[in-house]
Amino acid sequence: MLQTDPLSATFAALADPTRRAILARLSQGVLSVSELAEPFDMSLPAVSKHLRVLERAGLIGREREAQWRRCRIDAAPLKEVANWTERYRHLWEGRLDRLDGYLKELTGKKEAKGHGRKQQRGKQR
Amino acid sequence: MLQTDPLSATFAALADPTRRAILARLSQGVLSVSELAEPFDMSLPAVSKHLRVLERAGLIGREREAQWRRCRIDAAPLKEVANWTERYRHLWEGRLDRLDGYLKELTGKKEAKGHGRKQQRGKQR
């Protein structure tokens, strides 16, 4: 159970509202642990524990700046989440032909990297 | 810890490769528990336990068909995951002005529900 695949580790790290709030704050820039802890009704060690979970999942990194350690977001695992979720978009968009949508997505990825084929999807509303 | 918010429950349910594989199979149609269990090297009770986690998170539903109970996927929670993840897309797409992207997204949500303002984002490549 401890040796989880990367996507499972990402999902597990995101399964907590405090950790998601930390990521939301870091999406605006690097912050120290104490700056990060400020808005939370939580001890520094409790915040640090959440940061360790995020760090193990690769969602944040730490950098030294003079005597402070600052945290920055690393969005690469979030991209994997988006890619994974995208496979199910045809379901919630209520496509009539689910299989057709699924196949289009698969072939679209191969054939039309960066082209307009997928532009009609998802961003309409 | 037990009374989790819906998004946390969804992420927790997705933090397991077997549960994601179950969803992948259900994305192609309804299946009975034994049909679902077939490709997994796992007992029926173990599969059932995973199904309960998915059901509690609202990711699957059960329906009776004659004497069988069948499972179907419910993609609504996955839409919430996609919406949540979308807020971070500007980060992994390496936008130069992160704050600008973030602000545009915030104001875009209020000002341009369903309009074309967000179409340039995310689907270009």
Side-chain angles (χ1 to χ4, degrees):
Chain A
M1 286 295 269
L2 281 174
Q3 203 176 16
T4 50
D5 62 288
L7 193 54
S8 295
T10 304
F11 279 128
L14 297 176
D16 182 281
T18 303
R19 291 198 288 269
R20 294 197 301 276
I22 288 171
L23 289 180
R25 293 198 70 213
L26 288 176
S27 73
Q28 295 171 65
V30 295
L31 290 169
S32 70
V33 176
S34 51
E35 285 169 329
L36 265 176
E38 222 175 71
F40 301 110
D41 185 22
M42 205 175 271
S43 68
L44 262 181
V47 170
S48 293
K49 201 177 159 189
H50 283 307
L51 293 177
R52 278 197 298 278
V53 176
L54 290 168
E55 194 173 18
R56 275 201 300 270
L59 284 159
I60 68 165
R62 317 259 192 150
E63 50 193 46
R64 278 209 170 276
E65 206 175 274
Q67 72 268 48
W68 288 288
R69 293 186 71 191
R70 293 183 172 271
C71 302
R72 56 170 170 70
I73 194 169
D74 184 347
L78 297 178
K79 184 181 179 182
E80 298 306 317
V81 168
N83 289 345
W84 182 87
T85 314
E86 202 56 31
R87 296 161 51 191
Y88 296 91
R89 182 179 290 275
H90 63 287
L91 295 179
W92 73 74
E93 287 188 344
R95 294 297 158 94
L96 290 176
D97 191 342
R98 292 177 176 194
L99 187 59
D100 180 51
Y102 183 65
L103 291 175
K104 263 185 192 152
E105 195 189 344
L106 283 182
T107 53
K109 268 184 193 159
K110 285 180 194 159
E111 289 166 23
K113 277 189 185 173
H115 287 286
R117 288 190 58 172
K118 287 169 79 186
Q119 280 186 331
Q120 294 308 310
R121 294 176 55 243
K123 292 295 169 183
Q124 293 286 73
R125 65 174 51 248
Chain B
M1 285 295 268
L2 281 174
Q3 205 176 13
T4 50
D5 62 288
L7 193 54
S8 295
T10 305
F11 279 128
L14 297 176
D16 182 280
T18 303
R19 289 197 288 268
R20 294 197 301 278
I22 288 171
L23 288 180
R25 294 198 70 212
L26 287 177
S27 73
Q28 295 171 64
V30 295
L31 289 169
S32 69
V33 176
S34 51
E35 284 169 329
L36 266 175
E38 221 174 72
F40 301 110
D41 187 21
M42 203 175 270
S43 68
L44 262 182
V47 171
S48 292
K49 201 177 158 190
H50 282 306
L51 293 177
R52 278 197 300 277
V53 176
L54 291 168
E55 195 173 17
R56 274 201 301 270
L59 284 159
I60 67 165
R62 316 258 192 151
E63 50 193 46
R64 279 209 169 276
E65 206 174 273
Q67 71 269 49
W68 288 288
R69 293 185 70 191
R70 293 183 172 270
C71 302
R72 56 169 170 70
I73 194 170
D74 184 347
L78 297 178
K79 184 182 179 181
E80 299 306 317
V81 169
N83 290 345
W84 181 86
T85 315
E86 202 55 32
R87 296 162 50 191
Y88 297 91
R89 182 178 289 276
H90 63 286
L91 294 178
W92 73 74
E93 288 188 344
R95 295 296 158 95
L96 290 175
D97 192 341
R98 290 179 178 194
L99 187 58
D100 181 50
Y102 183 68
L103 291 176
K104 264 186 191 151
E105 196 190 343
L106 282 182
T107 51
K109 267 183 193 157
K110 285 181 195 157
E111 289 167 23
K113 278 189 185 174
H115 287 287
R117 288 190 60 172
K118 288 168 76 184
Q119 280 186 331
Q120 293 308 308
R121 291 180 53 244
K123 292 297 170 186
Q124 292 289 72
R125 62 174 49 248

